[in-house]
Amino acid sequence: SAVISQKPSRDICQRGTSLTIQCQVDSQVTMMFWYRQQPGQSLTLIATANQGSEATYESGFVIDKFPISRPNLTFSTLTVSNMSPEDSSIYLCSVPGTGAGIFTEAFFGQGTRLTVV
Amino acid sequence: GDSVTQMEGPVTLSEEAFLTINCTYTATGYPSLFWYVQYPGEGLQLLLKATKADDKGSNKGFEATYRKETTSFHLEKGSVQVSDSAVYFCALMHFGNEKLTFGTGTRLTIIP
C-alpha cells in the first residue's frame, strides 16, 4: 500500500492568484496522477507526472494553467495558476499500487478543497 | 473515448435494506472495473475490483460482477449499515494504462 500526504487540505484564494498543492508519498513511485473533482462532477484526470520528464496533460488541461513539478520519486506539486471561481474544486493526488509488477489499485491523497472567491 | 455512467444520487435507505448502485461503461476492449468509496472526512479507497468478464469482486459485504454483455458493474449489498454511508465511485482502467475513468459518484445515506 501507499500512504499519501497532501497539503493543504483546503484553502480559500482570491481570483488571479496561484496555489501550489503538495503531494508526498511514503514510497518511491514512477507515476503520479493529479485529478480534479468539480462540485457535483466526476473525478477528471488532469495530468500524469513521471519523475525526470515533463508531465503529460489530458485534453482540456494545459501546462500554463496547471504546472506540475516532479523533483523525485516521492514528491510532486500541482500549481493552479491565475485562479478563477471555475477552478473551485477538490484536487487529488494519486499513485498506482502494484504487485509483482501488475497494477492492483490506485491510492489517493485526502484531497485539497480549493475555493476561489 | 471511455466513459462511466453511474446511478444518480443521492440514495437514502434504511438500515438492513438491500442496496444496488448501477454502473455501466463504454470502452473498447476489456477494461478492469473498480468501485471506490469515500467515507466522510476520508480519502478515496478501493472497495472492490474485477479484471475480466464474469469476475465477481467482493469486500465488506459488497459485491459487483463484471458483465461484458451488458457493459455493467452494479454494486450490491444485501443489508446495509449506517457505517456504509459514503460516496461510491465506479471506475474503469485499461491494462497497461494506469489512468482511471470515473463515474460521477453516488452519495449513499443509511438511516437507522
Side-chain angles (χ1 to χ4, degrees):
Chain A
S1 67
V3 176
I4 303 173
S5 300
Q6 202 174 321
K7 300 193 290 189
S9 59
R10 59 178 63 229
D11 207 342
I12 300 173
C13 300
Q14 297 290 323
R15 67 178 69 200
T17 62
S18 298
L19 176 72
T20 295
I21 302 167
Q22 299 180 4
C23 178
Q24 179 76 52
V25 188
D26 69 343
S27 57
Q28 294 185 336
V29 292
T30 303
M31 301 169 71
M32 295 178 76
F33 300 95
W34 286 98
Y35 289 85
R36 180 177 74 180
Q37 185 180 14
Q38 294 177 297
Q41 305 280 328
S42 173
L43 282 81
T44 303
L45 182 65
I46 298 171
T48 303
N50 289 333
Q51 196 272 333
S53 64
E54 292 288 327
T56 303
Y57 289 82
E58 298 298 306
S59 175
F61 298 96
V62 295
I63 187 170
D64 289 346
K65 176 66 175 177
F66 297 100
I68 288 172
S69 78
R70 185 77 206 276
N72 57 51
L73 290 172
T74 63
F75 187 78
S76 178
T77 66
L78 169 76
T79 299
V80 186
S81 303
N82 188 24
M83 289 184 285
S84 67
E86 292 71 35
D87 295 319
S88 297
S89 296
I90 298 173
Y91 293 85
L92 297 109
C93 167
S94 173
V95 301
T98 59
I102 297 175
F103 177 88
T104 54
E105 64 182 281
F107 297 97
F108 289 85
Q110 298 273 59
T112 296
R113 183 180 294 273
L114 169 63
T115 302
V116 183
V117 297
Chain B
D2 296 343
S3 67
V4 177
T5 301
Q6 223 179 297
M7 173 178 174
E8 293 200 12
V11 175
T12 302
L13 294 172
S14 298
E15 204 166 21
E16 299 184 1
F18 183 86
L19 168 71
T20 300
I21 301 177
N22 289 337
C23 172
T24 57
Y25 67 91
T26 301
T28 56
Y30 297 88
S32 296
L33 301 174
F34 304 82
W35 277 100
Y36 277 82
V37 59
Q38 186 171 36
Y39 298 104
E42 299 184 17
L44 272 173
Q45 56 187 275
L46 178 68
L47 179 60
L48 53 84
K49 67 180 181 182
T51 58
K52 61 182 186 295
D54 300 325
D55 264 3
K56 177 186 284 188
S58 61
N59 187 24
K60 299 182 179 181
F62 290 89
E63 293 183 340
T65 300
Y66 190 140
R67 301 288 188 198
K68 180 67 176 174
E69 63 277 13
T70 54
T71 61
S72 65
F73 193 54
H74 304 322
L75 182 68
E76 297 182 337
K77 186 173 185 180
S79 177
V80 292
Q81 305 300 312
V82 172
S83 57
D84 294 325
S85 298
V87 182
Y88 293 81
F89 294 89
C90 185
L92 68 81
M93 185 204 72
H94 289 281
F95 180 77
N97 176 359
E98 293 156 349
K99 299 186 287 189
L100 290 162
T101 299
F102 284 90
T104 53
T106 301
R107 181 175 298 278
L108 173 67
T109 302
I110 308 300
I111 53 177

